Every structure is written in structure tokens, then in C-alpha cells.
Amino acid sequence: MTVTTHHTFCRICHASCPMEVDVDGTRVVAVRGVMDDPLFEGYTCIKGRQYPDQMASPDRLLRPLRRRPDGTFEETTSAEAFDEIAAELRRIIDTYGPRAVASYTGTGGYQNSVAVPMARAFHQGLDSPSFYTSVTIDQPAKSTAPFRVGIWEAGYHNFSDADVSLAIGYNPMVSSYGPVGGLQGTNPFVVMRRKKAEGMKLIVVDPRRTELASFADIHLQIRPGEDPTLLAGLLHVILREDLHDHEFCEQWVADLDELRAAVEPYDPAYVAERCDIAAADLEAAARMFAAGPRGTAGTGTGPNMAPHPSLTEHLTIVLNTICGRVNREGDRLESGWFLYPETPKRAQVIAPRPPATGAPSRLRGLRAYRGEMPTTALAEEILTPGEGRVRALIVSGGNPVVAWPDQALTLRAMQDLELLVVIDHRMSATAEHAHYVVPCTLSLERADVPHLMDRWFRAPYTNYTEAVLPKAGDVSNEWEVFWELARRLGSPIPLPGGEVPMDAKPSDDDIIDLAYAGSRMPLDEVRAKQRQVHPELAMVVQPADPECTARFTVAPADLMAELAEVRTERTGADVLLGSADGEYPFRLVSRRLKYALNSLGPEYPKLAEKGTTNSAYMHPDDVAELGITDGAIIEIRSPRAALWGVVESAPDVRRGVISMAHSWGGSSLTDEKVRDIGAPTNRLSVTDEGYDPVTGMVVQSAIPVRVSVVEPAPGEREEVPA
Ligand SMILES: Nc1nc2c(c(=O)[nH]1)N[C@H]1C(S)=C(S)[C@@H](COP(=O)(O)OP(=O)(O)OC[C@H]3O[C@@H](n4cnc5c(=O)[nH]c(N)nc54)[C@H](O)[C@@H]3O)O[C@H]1N2
Ligand SMILES: Nc1nc2c(c(=O)[nH]1)N[C@H]1C(S)=C(S)[C@@H](COP(=O)(O)OP(=O)(O)OC[C@H]3O[C@@H](n4cnc5c(=O)[nH]c(N)nc54)[C@H](O)[C@@H]3O)O[C@H]1N2
Ligand code: SF4
Ligand SMILES: [Mo]
């Protein structure tokens, strides 16, 4: 036996940790981090280290499946599957028009650098606006809010040289995610320890004392959903104490006085009471942040899934803006942005403009933004009769049944489709409903570039990987699926570098070249510069154009009206069915688990050892008050639906909160199997109330719920009254 070692990077999640993979024939026998990598320094996580198990999993799909009329599946070949799917698509387009054909790329697809560009281009070729991804149920306000305020062309401060960092509802130690300017998942523990040793101050806003919060100088353990109130309070203190950057605001901000007036009612006493924190901590946090002089505030999924996400995102940008936390002339940008065409980086504002002006949705007056339709409306786009109704859906590495808001609605939609195609490597809860399941290549079987981290790495870093293994069966890269279908439909696929050739099948690298054409660093150079940092290639901020007259709008009328409305709410939960606090006293908040990536995890033995359910983490005093112990099952009921959770005491969760990971469970609307497969929190979200008017984002965290005991913990049955 000869074992060969290959260099690659992990694509289980976006973090792109470099890895050495030992291969015996076509079998992965070991994986490890790359110790001499200049950015990651050997860092990997438990999920990435499951590659050997993932590649050898007996449950992996290696041949396409077709649903029989009786609902069972039979194996077919990819050639046959593509012929049949294309014929169905042709019929649907001819009958209803191209809008009826939708695709949804989820987290699995996102880890492939060409899956999203190919899906997008497939829709362009078909002239169908029905292009969806998981971004619009994640943190969509991140891509819309900057347009509303105005964009600083040279970006906001970097994390690497920050003196202060304000982290609102994210946890890179588990998720590997941090916003631009925040701590990223590139070796997060070591980097944070270094930054703290250098004197950086950290402020964390989170209802849970997270792994990140354990490093905090100030942890504001707020009631979930009160981020707009908290941010308005921080702005109030900073403006009242005159701690903002006067010079910067005078030059670049159009409406500071309007902002001042809008945050006036958010005095520390009011904010502290509503958020249930100490007023002195709020004031100390405001002063600590304002002292800087470098460093930014940034948000994660927590507040972006809570009520008023556009407002939260807006106030966060405004906090950075009035404190002047922008890159100035001569500053260097942290990330390389090597994979995208170079755009000017001057120390000036790009004028504000309306954020969502794309194709109209048929629901709630929503529109596409950044070329994507809002996923929160897709189930209803499928179910609502009328012109433009979606009839075919291609799911590329996603799991709608456990991820989209309102599980019952989503299940109805999946069953109502005339054609559902799921591209996945396993029989997911969504694949069970498919007409065709197309098995995908796994990441070690394809070439890739780190297309997300390229803009988030904390240094100008390049990497590339070729395929380390041959395809294990009749499996397809996501791009191939779209290519095979487009070819049969006679539809073009226009990528930035030109139309994808249809006569002979391109390679992964051909597609990468077309998708990332015009990149700042030519792709062949990227391929030759694996795992390298290039300080000399950092983008340097250029002076402002003297003609630039654009200014930030920090107090646009609609958002300031929303802020005034927040002041009249009793709590952030008012946006959901006017749920009175007494009736739904708990808040269910989202979190990530180390041993799962959304719905992916427990099928791998070493991850299952860590847990086969998404525990309902609660404060020990709340658990005691319910008269139960760890392992008991509770019903968690929102104004619309209920799910079961297995209780686990967690002193790091604040009282009145249930902290629970999403995308667990299966297709059932009841949870008898909760101990073995968990339960999906998406069941509790609703699409038609409390949604964000710009992005259509719905409440997926800080959900008002009440709790009752279903079944005491095993072994405790006698002690606890029924
Ligand atoms: N209540 C609530 N709802 C939420 C959230 C929450 O916090 N709370 N979070 C939201 C967020 S942030 C997101 S991103 C979504 C997640 O929504 P989705 O992305 O739709 O859900 P995942 O479970 O990540 O589905 C990924 C699928 O891709 C498959 N997969 C893995 N690797 C590959 C691959 O290489 N190729 C292909 N084709 N498939 C692959 C996996 O088997 C899995 O079935 O859920 C959202 N919904
Ligand atoms: N291990 C692992 N890594 C992952 C994933 C995973 O499932 N597992 N999922 C991936 C995906 S799809 C994404 S989008 C990223 C997300 O990355 P993150 O945004 O870092 O996600 P979380 O770790 O859930 O952190 C969200 C935090 O918000 C807090 N929170 C909840 N509600 C509120 C609120 O109302 N206000 C405030 N201030 N905080 C609140 C939670 O307590 C939690 O600590 O992670 C990615 N990485
Ligand atoms: S953090 Fe993400 S990319 Fe890194 S090893 Fe873990 S799963 Fe893989
Ligand atoms: Mo996500």
C-alpha cells in the first residue's frame, strides 16, 4: 500500500482551513491541519476532521435516484436522470413560463466556489428571476443596509489592528464566522488570545455567555431581540457625551442632528431596563467603544434573525460611521480580494440608494436584491396560484424542510411541486420529497478557490485546491448539473468570462476560470500561490476624488420611524402576533454547535458521539423551576406551532431563554424521535408577520415561546407529577 499526501483546504464550512490529506488508493486515511500555514497555523475543527468518515460513509448516495409512483426510489443513471429532468423543465417552461423554474442553493452548495455562479447564470440563460440562496434566510440585511446609509468605498477598520471590537450576536469559536472587521474563524482562539495580550478591548452582546464572551471585557447579556434598543442606547451615550468623530461627521455625514433626535428617547435608564442589563455597563461599553481609536462593531446571525434586522444592521453601521471607523487614505485593506475584479478603494462615500430594486416577488411587496429573490417567500411562491407560480425547484446543497421558516408550510410546498430535484450526497429530509435526487461530488473530488474567505481573510492570503480524489460513483459537481440541464434545454450559461461552451464538457478549472474571470490576481497565479500571504499586494486606500459630494444618510426617515416604533413596543416580541409577554415568557434563540453544520453532522460516528439531538439549553434555575432535570423533554410552543426539546442545563444561558440549534429533525411535524434526530426550530417561524419590509427576513431567533413538560428525564418518572 502506498499512501500519498495531498494539500487541500476543507470545504465542510466556509472557513477554508488548509489540510493535508493522506490517501491510500482512493481511500482517505488521515487528515490534519497544516502547521506551517501562515494564517491558520495548523487550525482545523472536529467537523473537518471527519473527512475519512464522510468519504467512506455507507449512507453516501453514489447513483441518482428517481421516485416511483408509489413513493419509493429506484436507482438510475445521471444521463437518464438529466434527460428526464430536462424534459420536465421544458414542459414546465412551455406551460407556465421560465419564472416557474426556481433553484435554491444552500450551505452545502455555497462551499463549492462555482455552484452559486453557475446557478445564477443558469437562471440568466433561462430568463427566470427565480434564483434563491440561503443568504436571504441568513443575514440578508448585511447586503442591503449599507446601500441605505451609503458605502465607504475603502471599507471599515480591520480586525488585525483593532483597539476595540464590539461583537453583537456571533460566536466564531464555534461558528468560524465573524463579520468583516470582526474575529474570523481562521485560528480564532489563538488570534483572540494574541489580540487580548496586545490590549484589545472586547465587548460582546449576547444572551448567552458564549465562548467568545468568555474573552470579553464587557459582556452585555441582553434579553434577546433588544439589539435595536441597545444600539440606540450606545449612540445616545456617545452623542450625549460628544464622543463621536466630529471632523469625520462634519465632512461626511449629512444628517447627524436627525440621528441625535431619534436616539434621544433611548437614555441609559430606559435601555438598561428594557435589555435587562446594568445602565453603568451600557455607559462603560459606549465609552470603551468610542475610545477606540481603531476597531468596529459587527453583527452575526443572532440579531439578524431577531426582530428589526435592517434597523439593527443600520444602527451598527451608523455606530461605526459616527465614530469614524473607516479606512483612510494610505490604510491597507486586510483581505486580498484577489478573486474578484479590482474596484477603486478611495477614502470617500458612495451615495446612498434604495437597496431592493430587483424583480418583484408575488408576496408582501418584496423584491429581489443583489440578484436574488427572498427565500422567506419561496414556499408561498410555490403554493400561491396565479401567473408566475413556481412549479419546479432545484435544491443545490440545501435542506428546506428543516431550514426554511414555517416547516408545515415548507412541507406543503415541497409536496405541491411538479418537479423537485435535490442535489445532495445523502438522503436529507428534503431529498425524501424529491422526484430526483442527484448525488453530488464531495469537496475532495473537486477543484476550488476560497471564494467567501477571499473577502474575509485577515490578511491578503491565497489558496487553491485541485481535486484530491476521483469521483466515487455516478456523482456530479453542482456546476455539471446546471450545465447538463442547460445543454438539453438549449439555454446558454453566461458567466462573467463568457458563455460556458456546450459542445464538449468543460473541467472544474475551466468553470472556475469563467466564473472568476477578471480577478484581481489572475487565476493561474492563484493556483501557483497556495497558502501564501502577500503583504506587498494589500490594497492601499487612495485619496478621495475632490469632486465627491456624496454623504452618509445616518437617519433615513423610514428607519428612524421604525426606531420610534420600537420605543412603543413592550418588547421585541410584539412584532409576532402581538404576543403578550405573560403568555409567551421565554425567548428561543439560535446558536451553532461545534459538532454539526446546520443539518449535517450526526450521520458521522464521531460527531454523533457528541450528541444526537439539538438540546434545549436553559438556565439551571429555569430548569429547576419546571421541576425537571437534564434529559427531560419539554414542549416549546410559539404563537403558531410547537416542537419538543431535550432539556440541558446551561449556566451560560440567561434566564428566560432557550438556546437551541436549527436544522435538526426530519420531515415529521411531531417529535417523538427528538432524542435521536432532534427537532427543527424553523417550525416556529412564520413568514407573514414580523418580517423585515426590505429583505423579507423573518424572525428566526428571539422567538416568543412558552414551555411545558412533556416527559420527565429517564429515571425521574416517578418523582415528577404528570
Ligand atoms: N430557526 C432558524 N432557522 C434557520 C437558521 C437559524 O439559526 N434558526 N439559520 C439559517 C441559516 S444561517 C442557514 S444558512 C440556513 C441553512 O439552510 P440550508 O443550507 O438549506 O440547510 P443545510 O442543513 O445547511 O443544508 C445543506 C445540505 O447540503 C448538503 N451538502 C453538504 N455538502 C454538500 C456538497 O458538497 N454538495 C451538495 N450539493 N450538498 C452538500 C448537506 O447534506 C445538507 O443536506 O438555515 C436557516 N434557518
Ligand atoms: N459549528 C458550526 N459552524 C457553523 C454552522 C453550524 O451549524 N455549526 N453554521 C454556519 C452558518 S450557516 C452560519 S450563517 C454561521 C453563523 O455564525 P454565527 O452568527 O457566529 O452563529 P452562532 O454561533 O449561532 O452565533 C449567534 C449568536 O447570537 C446569539 N443570539 C441569538 N439571538 C440573539 C439576539 O436576539 N441578540 C443578540 N445580540 N444575540 C443573539 C446566540 O446566543 C449566538 O451566540 O455559522 C456557520 N458555521
Ligand atoms: S472550521 Fe470549517 S473549514 Fe475549518 S475544519 Fe472546521 S469545518 Fe472545515
Ligand atoms: Mo447560514
Side-chain angles (χ1 to χ4, degrees), residues 117-197:
M118 274 300 271
R120 186 187 286 278
F122 175 79
H123 284 278
Q124 280 165 3
L126 281 184
D127 198 21
S128 163
S130 304
F131 170 63
Y132 296 81
T133 81
S134 50
V135 163
T136 51
I137 48 169
D138 190 325
Q139 308 177 62
K142 283 250 156 68
S143 54
T144 53
F147 288 105
R148 208 71 184 74
V149 189
I151 293 171
W152 186 255
E153 209 180 80
Y156 289 79
H157 283 167
N158 304 327
F159 181 78
S160 301
D161 51 6
D163 303 298
V164 64
S165 182
L166 170 53
I168 309 168
Y170 62 93
N171 187 24
M173 276 65 182
V174 169
S175 69
S176 310
Y177 170 82
V180 173
L183 176 68
Q184 294 288 337
T186 47
N187 203 9
F189 287 95
V190 170
V191 172
M192 182 51 82
R193 275 197 286 272
R194 269 184 214 144
K195 285 296 295 176
K196 291 291 293 181

Side-chain angles (χ1 to χ4, degrees), residues 107 134-135 137-139 301 305 592 598 662:
T107 310
S134 50
V135 163
I137 48 169
D138 190 325
Q139 308 177 62
T301 49
M305 291 181 182
R592 265 80 194 149
N598 306 340
H662 67 289

Side-chain angles (χ1 to χ4, degrees), residues 92 99-103 130 132 362 378 380-384 386-393 416-418:
I92 286 168
R99 193 186 192 278
V101 176
S103 76
S130 304
Y132 296 81
R362 295 187 304 147
L378 181 44
E380 289 144 288
E381 290 276 13
I382 293 166
L383 291 166
T384 311
E387 212 183 309
R389 181 177 185 180
V390 170
R391 299 281 73 212
L393 175 65
D416 191 73
L417 284 162
E418 293 179 30

Side-chain angles (χ1 to χ4, degrees), residues 272-513:
E273 200 203 332
R274 185 155 165 185
C275 298
D276 190 22
I277 54 171
D281 287 349
L282 173 78
E283 288 177 323
R287 288 171 198 141
M288 186 181 276
F289 183 75
R294 292 187 74 89
T296 61
T299 64
T301 49
N304 270 283
M305 291 181 182
H308 305 293
S310 283
L311 180 60
T312 296
E313 205 54 49
H314 175 80
L315 295 174
T316 307
I317 300 172
V318 166
L319 186 57
N320 291 327
T321 304
I322 68 161
C323 292
R325 300 302 161 80
V326 301
N327 291 323
R328 314 291 169 107
E329 182 181 343
D331 281 349
R332 282 160 195 276
L333 269 61
E334 195 167 42
S335 309
W337 296 72
F338 292 119
L339 297 175
Y340 301 88
E342 184 156 355
T343 55
K345 298 287 179 223
R346 291 163 297 190
Q348 67 184 54
V349 176
I350 303 172
R353 61 178 167 87
T357 53
S361 162
R362 295 187 304 147
L363 281 302
R364 299 186 271 286
L366 299 171
R367 302 193 84 94
Y369 42 95
R370 308 200 82 188
E372 289 188 32
M373 298 291 278
T375 295
T376 53
L378 181 44
E380 289 144 288
E381 290 276 13
I382 293 166
L383 291 166
T384 311
E387 212 183 309
R389 181 177 185 180
V390 170
R391 299 281 73 212
L393 175 65
I394 303 171
V395 173
S396 173
N399 202 351
V401 166
V402 291
W404 290 2
D406 197 336
Q407 190 191 25
L409 180 80
T410 303
L411 275 168
R412 280 208 305 284
M414 294 302 117
Q415 286 154 4
D416 191 73
L417 284 162
E418 293 179 30
L419 176 65
L420 173 60
V421 178
V422 172
I423 312 170
D424 210 304
H425 56 93
R426 58 176 192 138
M427 208 56 195
S428 67
T430 304
E432 285 170 23
H433 303 274
H435 299 98
Y436 294 87
V437 184
V438 178
C440 60
T441 49
L442 283 170
S443 50
L444 296 180
E445 298 163 344
R446 59 179 199 245
D448 258 315
V449 283
H451 63 120
L452 294 171
M453 291 304 292
D454 181 63
R455 293 174 277 188
W456 300 340
F457 282 133
R458 68 191 145 73
Y461 173 91
T462 44
N463 208 351
Y464 161 81
T465 181
E466 53 195 19
V468 167
L469 296 170
K471 287 179 180 178
D474 189 0
V475 298
S476 305
N477 188 313
E478 287 75 4
W479 73 257
E480 288 180 273
V481 180
F482 290 103
W483 184 84
E484 295 282 2
L485 296 177
R487 201 166 63 97
R488 286 166 170 81
L489 290 165
S491 176
I493 298 198
L495 285 174
E499 282 189 12
V500 180
M502 289 291 172
D503 38 354
K505 194 156 187 172
S507 66
D508 287 1
D509 282 306
D510 294 336
I511 301 295
I512 292 174
D513 283 334

